[in-house]
Amino acid sequence: MERKSMALKLFLVMAVFLLCMAKVSSSDSNAKIQDHLTDSKVVKGPNRRALPFVDCGASCRVRCSLHSRPNRCKRACGTCCSRCKCVPPGTSGNREICGSCYTDMLTHGNRLKCP
């Protein structure tokens, strides 16, 4: 009888533990969804900033608005944005904000790819 009681207590403790773990993991995924909806910045790695969702078309349009060759700039920017999930603010400079992914990408001719 005492064995059944002990087994029942152990079962209840494990059930409560699993229920708590499920609640914690679901609240964590809700936080990720909330971050995605609010477009808040998320830091990944020591020097890389990435957004959970980046509208590459609109961001690259702004980035390349003053470029001498806007179509070429938008094409390169779109490639960099899709790979690095980041477009620096402004029309030039600020490349270090997106981290090494954005700053170190080169063309076949060993020139900087990302505008």
Side-chain angles (χ1 to χ4, degrees), residues 66-114:
L66 299 178
H67 199 274
S68 61
R69 301 182 70 184
N71 291 338
R72 185 180 202 184
C73 177
K74 286 178 200 170
R75 187 175 67 226
C77 180
T79 301
C80 295
C81 177
S82 65
R83 289 183 190 170
C84 301
K85 304 288 187 261
C86 183
V87 176
T91 55
S92 65
N94 305 318
R95 295 164 43 89
E96 64 281 351
I97 290 175
C98 288
S100 61
C101 174
Y102 198 90
T103 58
D104 297 344
M105 199 177 302
L106 300 175
T107 64
H108 291 290
N110 286 329
R111 301 177 104 185
L112 294 174
K113 180 173 186 71
C114 304

Side-chain angles (χ1 to χ4, degrees), residues 2 7 9 14-15 23 25 31 35-36 38 56-57 77 88 95 109:
E2 188 175 298
K9 286 179 184 178
M14 291 299 290
K23 182 68 175 164
S25 67
D35 279 346
H36 176 73
T38 59
C56 292
C77 180
R95 295 164 43 89

Side-chain angles (χ1 to χ4, degrees), residues 18-62:
L18 290 174
L19 186 63
C20 290
M21 291 300 292
K23 182 68 175 164
V24 168
S25 67
S26 70
S27 66
D28 189 33
S29 65
N30 287 342
K32 288 178 186 174
I33 291 169
Q34 192 64 25
D35 279 346
H36 176 73
L37 295 175
T38 59
D39 287 340
S40 63
K41 289 188 176 186
V42 175
V43 177
K44 292 187 177 180
N47 63 349
R48 181 174 169 206
R49 293 189 147 270
L51 295 174
F53 174 76
V54 178
D55 183 6
C56 292
S59 299
C60 288
R61 213 172 299 120
V62 170

